[in-house]
Amino acid sequence: EIVLTQSPTTMAASPGEKVTLTCRASSSVSYMHWYQQRSGTSPKLWIYETSKLASGVPNRFSGSGSGTSYSLTINSMETEDAATYYCQQGSSYPYTFGAGTKLELK
Amino acid sequence: EVQLVESGGGLVQPGRSLKLSCAASGFTFSNYYMAWVRQAPKKGLEWVATISTSGSRTYYPDSVKGRFTISRDNAKSSLYLQMNSLKSEDTATYYCARRPGITSYFDYWGQGVMVTVSS
């Protein structure tokens, strides 16, 4: 099973601040996917296949990485970006998710 | 508009069974792999099962293999999860999710249904 480790677990950012969330895999994966989950709602696909933005996702978001190290970056934090972000790999079964990074507004 | 609506959740005793349903609309259901993903209270996401377009192939993690069965009825655009021998650790919100083509991500999720396993 591929274990995904997200860091930090929790962080706070001010409006306009650049934010980087990381996801490390215990073995190499082909792609990483990211989901955003706001409190009390279902997860939403946010970034797929490492760097492709899902429909409706603002272009201040970007994704990058390869092998065992991936990241999600927000160029300029906005209020609506406060949420928990999960990474997910589907390179091999069982599909696994990271434990999430909770991003709060400072 | 793609919609996934889960139903069938509730309170069930340990060792008993429960069947979840997911009604899909707004897309050609038979063209997509489908999956169940769960989230224990205040916890992260856990993949539970995936089924191929025809239903001939199914996939499970060890945590539910042999106890849970995913199935689908393409004529009814419906997805199911039969859960047997339920344990307290199966308590979670269960989401139905769509997986496009030969990809490995989930592009649409339902609103979720709560399952509580307790005596």
Side-chain angles (χ1 to χ4, degrees), chain A residues 1 4 14 20 26 31 36 58 62 70 74 81 85-86 97:
Chain A
E1 173 175 324
L4 302 181
S14 302
T20 299
S26 59
Y31 296 111
Q36 181 198 67
S62 63
Y70 293 83
I74 307 173
D81 301 336
Y85 293 85
Y86 295 94
F97 291 86

Side-chain angles (χ1 to χ4, degrees), chain A:
Chain A
E1 173 175 324
I2 296 176
V3 176
L4 302 181
T5 302
Q6 290 189 242
S7 60
T9 302
T10 306
M11 70 171 294
S14 302
E17 185 177 345
K18 184 174 183 177
V19 173
T20 299
L21 312 181
T22 65
C23 178
R24 297 194 187 279
S26 59
S27 300
S28 182
V29 297
S30 302
Y31 296 111
M32 193 62 72
H33 315 303
W34 295 85
Y35 301 86
Q36 181 198 67
Q37 186 176 35
R38 294 196 178 107
S39 182
T41 68
S42 307
K44 291 182 180 177
L45 178 65
W46 214 245
I47 295 175
Y48 64 99
E49 294 175 353
T50 301
S51 59
K52 300 174 183 176
L53 300 186
S55 178
V57 174
N59 60 13
R60 62 180 177 273
F61 284 85
S62 63
S64 64
S66 65
T68 62
S69 184
Y70 293 83
S71 63
L72 178 158
T73 299
I74 307 173
N75 255 353
S76 177
M77 175 77 179
E78 295 200 7
T79 304
E80 65 186 26
D81 301 336
T84 299
Y85 293 85
Y86 295 94
C87 57
Q88 177 245 322
Q89 69 79 25
S91 291
S92 66
Y93 284 108
Y95 287 2
T96 50
F97 291 86
T101 291
K102 186 175 184 179
L103 175 61
E104 300 173 326
L105 190 67
K106 192 184 292 181

